[in-house]
Amino acid sequence: MENDFPAAALARQFPLLVARPELAYLDSAATSQLHESVIERIVRFYREDNATVHRSSCPMGSEATVAYAAARKFVAQYVNAADATEIVFVRSTTEAINLVANSWGRTILRPGDEVLLTAMEHHSNILPWQDIAKRQGAGLRLCAITAAGEIDRDDFLQKLTERTKMVAIGHVSNVLGTVNPLDELIPQARRVGAAIFVDGAQRVASGPIDVQRLGCDFYALSGHKAFAPMGIGVLYGRCPWLKTLPPYQLGGGMVDRVSMDCSTFREPPEKWEAGTPNVAGALALRSALEFLRSIDWKSYDHHCASIRSRMDDAVRSLPGVRILGSPEKKTAIFSFVSDRVHAHDLATALSTKGICVRAGHHCAQPLHAAYGVPASCRASFSLYNAEEDCDRLIDGIRWALDYF
Ligand code: PMP
């Protein structure tokens, strides 16, 4: 398959990959490497601009406040939110899910209500819902997936009832790479009046995001999955929710008036950002999204398809090895198992050859249970991985199988 995506040229924009040319870094679903513009932004902030926002009266303080607001506006435009006040800076996708599960759940969920998840969710998109459902006397339902690793649409429709108050669903599976058909599922969830939370942790580095077109109520992402640092993430929330739901955390920066018997809170987004925020992280995330804005996603889709056909063909020739799932629409994430060699042994052997993959359940135990395996080995390709990385992986697996 012909493909002219400039993966090798992009790799040269990532200092870690330049510093370690011996590596085939295939673990971007765990954390991606930082783009050079991101590192430069962080260094510049701490060397020249360090100040907190909304508080400091020194020149850097007002500059940081302006830059922080501009970063928020940039994120809003990037995900096509209707307004920058719908963008809350959080620590990560995990924090965003906990925020919504707690604040929304406490306010809306009642005994007999249900939250609908899917069997391919990351633990971060299961545990907060499980906890709040239990506390509110509500039920938790899990939509099945097919052997191909797609959402079982019949099961989804069957479990979606007027009791369903929330559908929380991943945009892209961190194990299978499945791109879920949100254009189809969200309108169905809307029809029963459910709110929709989308876990976009694995989407942000693999395709564009348009929250208004999706029609979701909430959307979460993590900077470190998209070439920005750890410790910064985004929660998009539709304006009526962010205005009316109670704050998740309380503290400085989010209050309007405080007295000892009653306090009032600021309007969104400040209402949702108690304490000193990660200013450098927000600015760095903006730099990462500026880089992502330059990506030709159509061309990247072809690149992923090319890697996929190379992987599929090669794995077919490896005895006893299979890739979990074969969804129609997927990114370049491949989780595979050998019927002879344990995933951890395989990953350890590959790492001796400089091939970085991850082994384990990848925080998706219900998904692994659905496939009847406790663990898998995951190779996750990103924008900076070329076909050669795929060939190295395959040669590495072949070598490891012979070795054990
Ligand atoms: N959801 C998915 C699909 C993920 O892949 C991850 C990270 N592996 C998370 C949620 C949690 O992201 P974070 O650890 O950045 O909060």
Side-chain angles (χ1 to χ4, degrees):
M1 193 181 294
E2 277 305 303
N3 149 46
D4 54 9
F5 186 77
L10 291 178
R12 291 194 285 277
Q13 299 175 21
F14 287 80
L16 182 135
L17 302 179
V18 172
R20 294 176 179 266
E22 73 283 7
L23 294 186
Y25 186 73
L26 296 175
D27 201 14
S28 296
T31 199
S32 58
Q33 295 306 332
L34 274 66
H35 188 257
E36 59 191 2
S37 65
V38 170
I39 297 171
E40 281 159 18
R41 190 67 188 96
I42 297 168
V43 170
R44 181 153 66 87
F45 178 77
Y46 283 118
R47 289 182 81 100
E48 299 172 19
D49 304 326
N50 185 35
T52 188
V53 293
H54 309 309
R55 294 158 174 79
S56 172
S57 55
C58 67
M60 296 97 74
S62 53
E63 284 163 27
T65 303
V66 168
Y68 188 66
R72 192 190 306 280
K73 198 166 170 197
F74 192 91
V75 174
Q77 284 165 353
Y78 188 84
V79 302
N80 194 29
D83 195 86
T85 57
E86 295 181 318
I87 299 299
V88 178
F89 285 120
V90 289
R91 187 166 58 81
S92 60
T93 302
T94 301
E95 187 175 55
I97 301 170
N98 276 279
L99 182 159
V100 176
N102 277 279
S103 178
W104 173 91
R106 202 149 42 94
T107 312
I108 304 292
L109 271 187
R110 294 287 169 263
D113 290 345
E114 289 177 354
V115 173
L116 179 58
L117 311 175
T118 83
M120 69 170 85
E121 298 314 312
H122 187 279
H123 293 165
S124 288
N125 200 28
I126 298 176
L127 299 175
W129 302 113
Q130 189 176 58
D131 180 62
I132 194 69
K134 219 176 262 169
R135 282 196 276 142
Q136 300 295 115
L140 195 67
R141 306 213 71 193
L142 211 61
C143 171
I145 59 167
T146 65
E150 294 174 336
I151 284 172
D152 182 329
R153 287 158 157 103
D154 293 337
D155 197 50
F156 184 79
L157 284 178
Q158 209 199 331
K159 288 180 176 151
L160 190 66
T161 69
E162 72 283 354
R163 286 190 301 280
T164 314
K165 293 294 176 289
M166 171 65 81
V167 174
I169 188 168
H171 199 158
V172 173
S173 159
N174 67 314
V175 178
L176 309 168
T178 311
V179 182
N180 282 319
L182 298 184
D183 290 352
E184 178 189 323
L185 304 178
I186 289 178
Q188 288 167 345
R190 279 256 169 269
R191 248 170 261 141
V192 299
I196 295 118
F197 183 100
V198 180
D199 168 356
Q202 295 294 341
R203 172 62 173 184
V204 58
S206 66
I209 296 168
D210 185 333
V211 291
Q212 290 193 78
R213 199 172 72 80
L214 285 175
C216 55
D217 295 280
F218 302 100
Y219 195 102
L221 59 91
S222 292
H224 75 102
K225 309 279 189 195
F227 320 118
M230 300 174 195
I232 186 72
V234 168
L235 170 68
Y236 157 79
R238 277 205 307 123
C239 172
W241 286 123
L242 293 190
K243 254 183 167 335
T244 55
L245 290 175
Y248 170 55
Q249 290 181 337
L250 307 170
M254 52 79 70
V255 284
D256 185 17
R257 292 185 74 81
V258 177
S259 73
M260 290 327 278
D261 13 274
C262 174
S263 301
T264 56
F265 307 122
R266 297 179 70 177
E267 290 295 307
E270 285 84 12
K271 168 183 171 182
W272 297 99
E273 294 180 4
T276 305
N278 180 356
V279 181
L283 306 190
L285 178 62
R286 176 192 174 149
S287 297
L289 295 182
E290 278 173 0
F291 161 67
L292 276 169
R293 205 175 46 175
S294 72
I295 299 300
D296 176 346
W297 292 115
K298 264 215 169 87
S299 171
Y300 183 59
D301 280 349
H302 288 134
H303 181 59
C304 289
S306 156
I307 296 218
R308 181 178 183 180
S309 72
R310 224 174 173 96
M311 278 292 289
D312 286 345
D313 289 350
V315 166
R316 248 178 255 124
S317 73
L318 297 173
V321 178
R322 70 185 164 100
I323 295 175
L324 301 182
S326 56
E328 205 175 301
K329 266 193 94 180
K330 73 171 271 174
T331 61
I333 294 178
F334 307 90
S335 294
F336 49 93
V337 289
S338 154
D339 60 9
R340 216 166 42 74
V341 183
H342 193 277
H344 280 105
D345 292 335
L346 207 46
T348 305
L350 289 171
S351 80
T352 65
K353 297 266 173 205
I355 302 161
C356 308
V357 297
R358 178 174 167 187
H361 51 61
H362 319 305
C363 301
Q365 285 179 335
L367 174 68
H368 281 81
Y371 280 100
V373 291
S376 63
C377 210
R378 180 183 70 187
S380 49
F381 292 72
S382 189
L383 302 170
Y384 38 60
N385 294 116
E387 277 83 355
E388 292 72 47
D389 293 320
C390 183
D391 297 344
R392 273 189 69 187
L393 172 67
I394 294 298
D395 288 348
I397 301 173
R398 194 169 282 124
W399 166 81
L401 294 178
D402 281 347
Y403 178 82
F404 285 106

